[in-house]
Amino acid sequence: MQNKDDAAPGLRERKKRATRAALADAAVRLAAEHGAENVTVEAISSAAGVSTRTFFNYFDSHDDAFLMIDAEVGKRIRRTVREAPAGLPVLDVLRQAFSAELMDVEERHEIWSLRAKVFQRSPHLLVRGLGAHMAEELELAETVAERLGRAEGEPLGLYPRLVAAVAATAIRVSVEEWCARTPDVAFAVVFRDAFDHLASGLHDPPPGARSGPPTGTDS
Amino acid sequence: MQNKDDAAPGLRERKKRATRAALADAAVRLAAEHGAENVTVEAISSAAGVSTRTFFNYFDSHDDAFLMIDAEVGKRIRRTVREAPAGLPVLDVLRQAFSAELMDVEERHEIWSLRAKVFQRSPHLLVRGLGAHMAEELELAETVAERLGRAEGEPLGLYPRLVAAVAATAIRVSVEEWCARTPDVAFAVVFRDAFDHLASGLHDPPPGARSGPPTGTDS
DNA sequence: CAGATATTTTGCACGTCCTGCATTTTTGCG
DNA sequence: CGCAAAAATGCAGGACGTGCAAAATATCTG
């Protein structure tokens, strides 16, 4: 058993993933139809073919079933940040690290659209989702602080916290804006514009500019 | 009854406020001691001298008792933004609007410190608190969009969403950083530095700079 | 393959959260 | 005081979430 994450899922592990996926899937589908609040744990469990007790073996709360939290993503992002060539501005590093990860949003566009519908109907869940990313945000801030050459035990400092949090916020807003628009725009474009705004100090856009990058105040 | 918010609270209104305050106060105090999760609604209600049923007449959920949500704050901020002289950069307007509101944090420093302790012990609540501000964030984005001269029904656009969200994030991070530090620094300083970072495009700080504003890249 | 072992699923009981409804108490006012 | 509006309360009930022990299932060993 070298690495349980690679190459050897094993029958057991596969069944667990399947059960979890079945629960999450049932949850999202039922919620998209009836609204998350009106979908009981029993309904989800029943649709997934397990007992309600088993549901709580996989998710800590009713709401967690709709969230699709993946700890791997955070790890990958932090590693990317850590391995980025020194000297590169932190904001650019973050932009690229996230960008690599967010291809999934455009690829599995359909399931994300479903989740967007669920979130629109009960914003309370979006909040939970955000909250799930808060721990990640702190760890990301740690990674940034290390990258900027700060000792281990030292307090974080304002800047690392701020870039990590603001970058995460930029992503959330990008997703929101992308969902609000009829998705005729590529997500990558919204994402790029958002980070361009950040990099240029959030100066006011010229009146009339609908979606372009901020005015060329850069360099 | 010209305006129920001004000058004529009335005995009734005063009792309501008192009850609500008593509940919120009891909640925070008990939570600071035993942890929010271990404080039942019954305990809070009992400490405030009302029935558990009455608790739910004042707060929609157990957690809401610890949050101290004030819809007035959002309204005031939006009005400040709306009445700010035209031509001023949006980011500066937001900075000033929030700054005016945040004096309360330093004045009633003691109760905020208590709340910070509660939040440290159960971050789950901080998330709820954040969520409460999300609706505000959207309305703030609307206000910003209007200020930038955008029609009513039009979609929001990326920039208004982004500034509103990022500004709110900056505040949250400022509070976090300010709480993490032994509060020998004035909150206003952390707050100012955060917005300076935003205004200068979040460029990397020079190594060794602990807390100052970003390097004078401005102008 | 059979049996031992580890893991997962499940049922059950229990406490807490939260809501709707009817009833009682309090408040404001003529 | 007496009355109408508002608030507080008690109660019933559904849903959430957890600990525990028993049953079912997967993995390992000989």
Side-chain angles (χ1 to χ4, degrees):
Chain A
M1 190 190 292
Q2 328 185 24
N3 190 338
K4 75 178 176 187
D5 293 345
D6 294 348
L11 206 166
R12 212 162 207 154
E13 191 67 15
R14 240 177 310 158
K15 271 198 87 168
K16 275 185 70 171
R17 287 175 193 267
T19 303
R20 187 186 181 88
L23 282 168
D25 190 79
V28 171
R29 271 174 213 294
L30 289 172
E33 183 160 3
H34 308 103
E37 330 289 317
N38 304 322
V39 177
T40 68
V41 171
E42 182 170 3
I44 300 172
S45 313
S46 168
V50 296
S51 71
T52 70
R53 188 61 185 82
T54 298
F55 174 95
F56 287 106
N57 278 340
Y58 283 92
F59 300 98
D60 284 344
S61 83
H62 170 260
D63 297 355
D64 284 357
F66 309 97
L67 261 43
M68 191 190 267
I69 297 168
D70 192 348
E72 302 269 338
V73 175
K75 282 184 204 160
R76 275 199 299 272
I77 289 181
R78 286 195 294 279
R79 186 170 55 192
T80 304
V81 171
R82 218 176 296 115
E83 292 173 353
L88 219 55
V90 170
L91 194 60
D92 294 352
V93 173
L94 288 181
R95 182 209 292 249
Q96 210 171 354
F98 282 125
S99 176
E101 214 49 60
L102 284 175
M103 309 234 285
D104 179 83
V105 177
E106 297 210 76
E107 287 182 10
R108 299 196 298 160
H109 173 292
E110 188 256 347
I111 190 67
W112 277 92
S113 172
L114 255 184
R115 285 156 56 73
K117 183 183 294 182
V118 174
F119 285 160
Q120 276 185 341
R121 205 156 151 178
S122 40
H124 141 264
L125 279 185
L126 202 151
V127 171
R128 285 280 288 203
L130 256 297
H133 291 303
M134 289 251 318
E136 306 278 341
E137 183 183 303
L138 237 184
E139 299 189 58
L140 183 58
E142 292 273 2
T143 304
V144 170
E146 285 178 27
R147 180 186 166 83
L148 291 176
R150 209 270 340 268
E152 191 80 19
E154 295 279 320
L156 262 177
L158 176 61
Y159 179 79
R161 280 187 206 268
L162 194 62
V163 263
V166 167
T169 299
I171 289 181
R172 166 170 66 82
V173 172
S174 297
V175 174
E176 285 174 7
E177 170 71 7
W178 180 67
C179 287
R181 240 173 243 246
T182 44
D184 42 16
V185 214
F187 176 74
V189 173
V190 183
F191 176 77
R192 177 171 48 74
D193 289 352
F195 271 77
D196 284 343
H197 276 300
L198 291 186
S200 63
L202 286 171
H203 295 312
D204 293 21
R210 168 63 73 253
S211 80
T215 64
T217 321
D218 52 46
S219 70
Chain B
M1 188 191 293
Q2 329 185 22
N3 190 335
K4 76 178 178 188
D5 293 344
D6 293 348
L11 206 167
R12 210 163 209 156
E13 194 65 18
R14 240 177 310 159
K15 268 200 88 170
K16 276 184 69 172
R17 287 175 193 268
T19 304
R20 187 187 181 87
L23 281 168
D25 190 79
V28 171
R29 271 175 214 293
L30 289 172
E33 183 160 4
H34 307 104
E37 332 289 317
N38 304 323
V39 177
T40 70
V41 172
E42 181 169 6
I44 300 172
S45 312
S46 168
V50 297
S51 72
T52 69
R53 188 61 185 82
T54 298
F55 174 95
F56 287 106
N57 278 340
Y58 283 92
F59 299 98
D60 283 344
S61 83
H62 169 261
D63 297 355
D64 284 358
F66 309 97
L67 260 44
M68 189 187 268
I69 296 169
D70 193 347
E72 303 271 337
V73 175
K75 283 185 204 161
R76 276 199 298 271
I77 288 181
R78 285 195 296 278
R79 186 169 54 192
T80 304
V81 170
R82 217 176 296 116
E83 292 174 351
L88 219 56
V90 170
L91 194 60
D92 292 354
V93 173
L94 288 180
R95 183 209 292 250
Q96 210 171 354
F98 282 124
S99 176
E101 213 51 58
L102 283 173
M103 308 234 286
D104 178 83
V105 177
E106 297 210 77
E107 285 182 9
R108 299 197 297 162
H109 173 291
E110 188 254 349
I111 191 66
W112 277 92
S113 172
L114 256 184
R115 285 156 56 75
K117 183 184 295 181
V118 174
F119 285 160
Q120 278 184 339
R121 206 157 148 178
S122 41
H124 143 264
L125 279 185
L126 203 149
V127 173
R128 288 277 289 201
L130 256 297
H133 290 303
M134 287 253 316
E136 305 279 340
E137 184 183 300
L138 235 184
E139 298 191 57
L140 183 58
E142 291 274 0
T143 305
V144 170
E146 285 178 27
R147 180 186 167 84
L148 292 176
R150 208 270 338 270
E152 190 81 18
E154 295 280 321
L156 262 176
L158 177 61
Y159 179 78
R161 280 186 207 270
L162 193 62
V163 262
V166 167
T169 299
I171 290 181
R172 167 171 65 83
V173 172
S174 296
V175 173
E176 285 175 8
E177 170 73 7
W178 179 66
C179 286
R181 243 172 242 246
T182 43
D184 42 15
V185 213
F187 175 75
V189 173
V190 183
F191 176 77
R192 176 173 47 74
D193 289 352
F195 270 77
D196 284 344
H197 276 300
L198 291 186
S200 64
L202 286 170
H203 295 311
D204 293 20
R210 168 62 73 256
S211 80
T215 63
T217 321
D218 51 48
S219 70

